Amino acid sequence: MNSRHLDESISLGNQCIQSINSVKSRIWLVFSLYYFIPLIYMPYDRVKFGLLILIYIAFLGLYELAIRTSPHNVWRPILGIIVLSAIATPLTPGSGTFFSYIGFLLGFHCRPKQWLICTGLLIGLIVTLHFLNNYAFHFFAFSAITGLITIGIVGFTERVRYESRISQQKSREEVEQLAIIAERERIARDLHDILGHTLSSIALKAELAEKLLAQEKQDAAKQHLSELHQIARNSLSLVRQTVSGYKHRGLSGEVMELCERLRQKGFIVELNGEIPQLSPRAETAVILALTELTTNILRHSKGDHCQIEFSKHCDKIQVKMRDNGAVTVLTPGNGLRGIQERLQTIAGEMQSSVHKGCEFIISLPSRELQQQRS
């Protein structure tokens, strides 16, 4: 945990460096020319003028260093600017301009409590320099204190804004990562359901064809082999569609196909109720659920009758599937658990019971029906 928090702090620091190290940060240096305003109304000899120029160049260098250096080392150039301001104040009240930039750097890099303490100490320094040099209040102390506080608040606001942007970016990345994980789980569940059903059908067809060949019934065997080939092709198509985004023939078409497959295996199939028009994600969930249940019936049931019923009760859409197989205990496997997980993503559920066969009831919220009609 400590290592992760350290990495996050370093990342935040790097983001802050990038944000402050921008064209805008350098444009603000235009206001540092107020440093030279006292030259208009105060006499300076060449030596003092040269010192003022050297101090200003040193300030520019320290400010550039402050916006380029890491947050851990930014205190050095900030202290350098503070010392430079104290040295320049006896020469010119224009040094009060530097305190605005000190305020911005402190506001950007300090937490609120640290910023208040540093600002208080700097106000004390400004007041001390004011009385030591006996400047008029509005020439030095007033501009230095107001610049320190107001520009410091600007710096703090900039930090909050960039932290918020970084937090939003991190949240987006987490959402994208969760979406990727969910998509992988969807593909895994869908492939399990599709391949489980298809491979079961292929196994039955191959077994039947093998028996027919053993009995030298060539024509019948060719028919089953042809059907096996078609099932394999359909399976390949479904796998491709699942990986690229599940597409199907609609709930009605898939239900009719499942009923036909059950009838081919000797089941009497009874289809009741009106097949509803569902939203795409609900339709996909129901299709895959019915496909998995059909696979289980073909694989495990010893019955000969299957009933599928669609109905609507209050705020629920229900799909019932039951058979008359000889089952006493129902042990959920990966397939049934996958159905439950998929239905939960759309606020649905599936209930099961064992009484003279198996019965499964899939319930969906009615809004899945309304979304399709609206």
Side-chain angles (χ1 to χ4, degrees), residues 10-24:
I10 292 173
S11 177
L12 175 60
N14 292 335
Q15 291 284 350
C16 290
I17 293 171
Q18 293 176 4
S19 62
I20 192 173
N21 188 15
S22 62
V23 175
K24 183 171 66 174

Side-chain angles (χ1 to χ4, degrees), residues 20 28 33 64 89 151 171 257 371 373:
I20 192 173
W28 285 352
L33 295 177
E64 181 69 20
T89 300
I151 305 303
S171 297
E257 176 66 20
Q371 287 178 356
R373 291 179 176 175

Side-chain angles (χ1 to χ4, degrees), residues 23-37:
V23 175
K24 183 171 66 174
S25 300
R26 292 176 177 82
I27 288 177
W28 285 352
L29 286 173
V30 172
F31 298 102
S32 67
L33 295 177
Y34 285 110
Y35 169 79
F36 295 105
I37 286 181

Side-chain angles (χ1 to χ4, degrees), residues 142-170:
F142 177 77
S143 60
I145 293 174
T146 55
L148 176 68
I149 295 174
T150 57
I151 305 303
I153 293 173
V154 171
F156 180 75
T157 303
E158 285 288 306
R159 179 187 179 90
V160 171
R161 186 167 66 88
Y162 281 108
E163 283 182 346
S164 175
R165 180 180 298 176
I166 293 169
S167 177
Q168 291 175 359
Q169 181 179 358
K170 184 178 178 182

Side-chain angles (χ1 to χ4, degrees), residues 60-70 74 76-77:
L60 294 178
L62 289 170
Y63 183 74
E64 181 69 20
L65 181 62
I67 64 177
R68 284 181 174 272
T69 192
S70 67
V74 73
R76 296 176 182 177

Side-chain angles (χ1 to χ4, degrees), residues 264-281:
Q264 289 178 0
K265 303 307 174 186
F267 280 84
I268 298 173
V269 181
E270 184 180 347
L271 181 60
N272 298 322
E274 181 182 354
I275 299 176
Q277 296 293 321
L278 301 175
S279 64
R281 62 175 186 171

